[in-house]
Amino acid sequence: MRTFGFASAALALIASSSISDAFAPARHSAFGVVQTVGTSPKMSAVAEEAPTKDLSEIAAKIRNIAVIAHVDHGKTTLVDALIRQSGVFRDQGQQDDAGNCVMDSEDQEKERGITILAKNLAVVRNGVKINIMDTPGHADFGGEVERILNMADGVLLVVDSVEGPKPQTRFVLDKALRKGMNALVVVNKVDRPAARPDYVVDKVFDLFVELGATDKQTDFSVVYASGLLGKSGLEPDQLEDDMGPLFDTVMTAIDPPVIESIESDDLQCLVSNIDYDPFKGKMGIARISRGSVKAGQAVALARPEKAKKTGRVASLSVFDNLGKVEVDYACAGEIIMFTGFDNVEIGDTLITNEAGGVNAAEPLPPIAVEQPTVRMTIGVNKSPLAGREGKFLTSRMIRDRLFKELDRNVALQ
């Protein structure tokens, strides 16, 4: 008999599904959205950059933003509108095939109409790459939001134009403000008849003050939008027919990443999430804080006061549109996925191991994964109806399926 601990995200994705469905092969990435692509005309703004470029010039070509909100405030619908207006789809037919809420790609997310797993995408706007991280809105998945904020430089705080700030709004905003991030407030659903945008902005300002925001943070920019209609504007009654005002405000309101060095020896890359590919194995997902990394480079995974795990970067990818694309080089400010370590864990720091790591940087303080909230004990079915239906019935099969899920689901222990 084996006891497993489940965090809420794991329970929502596994325990609510039938055992037969649980054995179906995964069709989507746990963190990315669709399958890996081999080539793309929209390469990373900082991947493949020549190392001799000016650091400020490299930083100006990228923005890393996390979209945070209370549940049902239209966060994923707003991200959908950004996707559709950024040239990700070839034509209207491809848009129609993708359907609504493209980012909610897991079966449970589609069925429940909520975001459970955080996901990445990247769009290019006027030569600037914008890494967008869509996060869950339910309080049960707050730990997922906390980890993703480690990869962002600023946040889009989406607030319903009728309801205003809610409990989860307060929770996620507090985490962002404590990290020193600036927030761009998006008052969504202004097309609703009962919308009261001025009241909502006042309540958001009061919330910033209550949470101890700095003067700079309380001087936030505001964009009014309707994610459903794909419109935005700087005034609630003067919306433009696209999301242009929101894109433009992101460029000015969200700071570019701070890049101190792109030297290989200075590499510091904190793993904030993991994914699993049946061909490549475990993949670490991280934001490069300092330095640079190349495919095939000798590196190590380090934690303070723990032994290093050494190896090489087998493959290196960056997010591109709804998928990801392999690159040979990436530097500070970029969000990467890398393979080569079967034992990569959240909280590890990727550092160089060239020349035995004598010039390697120190590992960053590790981040913690939220503890499971539900405990389940799975034993042999002794019911007289046991074995009458279903395909995978034995405890060994269920055990194998659960251990396989450990490769890609960090909320399961």
Side-chain angles (χ1 to χ4, degrees), residues 44-219:
S44 163
V46 294
E48 307 290 354
E49 281 283 357
T52 55
K53 285 250 186 179
D54 181 68
L55 298 185
S56 59
E57 185 179 345
I58 296 174
K61 291 185 177 181
I62 191 168
R63 298 291 189 277
N64 297 313
I65 58 175
V67 187
I68 58 177
H70 187 78
V71 62
D72 288 337
H73 278 200
K75 170 174 44 60
T76 302
T77 305
L78 185 74
V79 173
D80 263 18
L82 296 176
I83 294 172
R84 296 177 190 282
Q85 296 184 23
S86 60
V88 171
F89 300 113
R90 291 191 307 270
D91 49 38
Q92 186 62 42
Q94 194 178 40
Q95 285 193 35
D96 296 339
D97 291 341
N100 297 323
C101 292
V102 179
M103 299 297 288
D104 287 344
S105 54
E106 294 286 339
D107 291 340
Q108 285 295 313
E109 292 177 319
K110 292 178 180 179
E111 180 180 332
R112 298 179 178 211
I114 61 173
T115 302
I116 296 175
L117 298 174
K119 302 175 188 67
N120 262 36
L121 77 148
V123 298
V124 176
R125 178 83 174 183
N126 297 329
V128 177
K129 179 180 180 181
I130 306 175
N131 282 311
I132 302 174
M133 290 150 269
D134 187 20
T135 63
H138 278 266
D140 291 343
F141 313 135
E144 187 99 356
V145 180
E146 288 186 69
R147 292 200 310 273
I148 301 313
L149 288 178
N150 284 282
M151 297 191 287
D153 295 301
V155 296
L156 261 63
L157 180 66
V158 182
V159 186
D160 189 289
S161 64
V162 178
E163 296 182 354
K166 302 293 280 186
Q168 183 68 358
T169 310
R170 183 186 189 95
F171 174 80
V172 294
L173 178 60
D174 183 45
K175 297 296 181 183
L177 295 179
R178 287 175 182 269
K179 291 181 177 293
M181 296 181 179
N182 292 331
L184 167 57
V185 177
V186 180
V187 181
N188 196 26
K189 304 183 182 181
V190 293
D191 55 309
R192 296 177 64 179
R196 43 180 184 173
D198 293 337
Y199 168 83
V200 169
V201 171
D202 290 341
K203 285 297 182 182
V204 170
F205 179 82
D206 293 342
L207 180 59
F208 271 74
V209 174
E210 290 176 17
L211 295 176
T214 65
D215 291 343
K216 181 180 179 181
Q217 289 172 327
T218 52
D219 188 21

Side-chain angles (χ1 to χ4, degrees), residues 258-278:
V258 177
I259 300 179
E260 299 176 354
S261 169
I262 57 172
E263 297 298 325
S264 177
D265 286 345
D266 295 330
L267 175 63
Q268 288 180 316
C269 189
L270 183 64
V271 178
S272 298
N273 215 328
I274 58 174
D275 198 357
Y276 183 80
D277 185 276

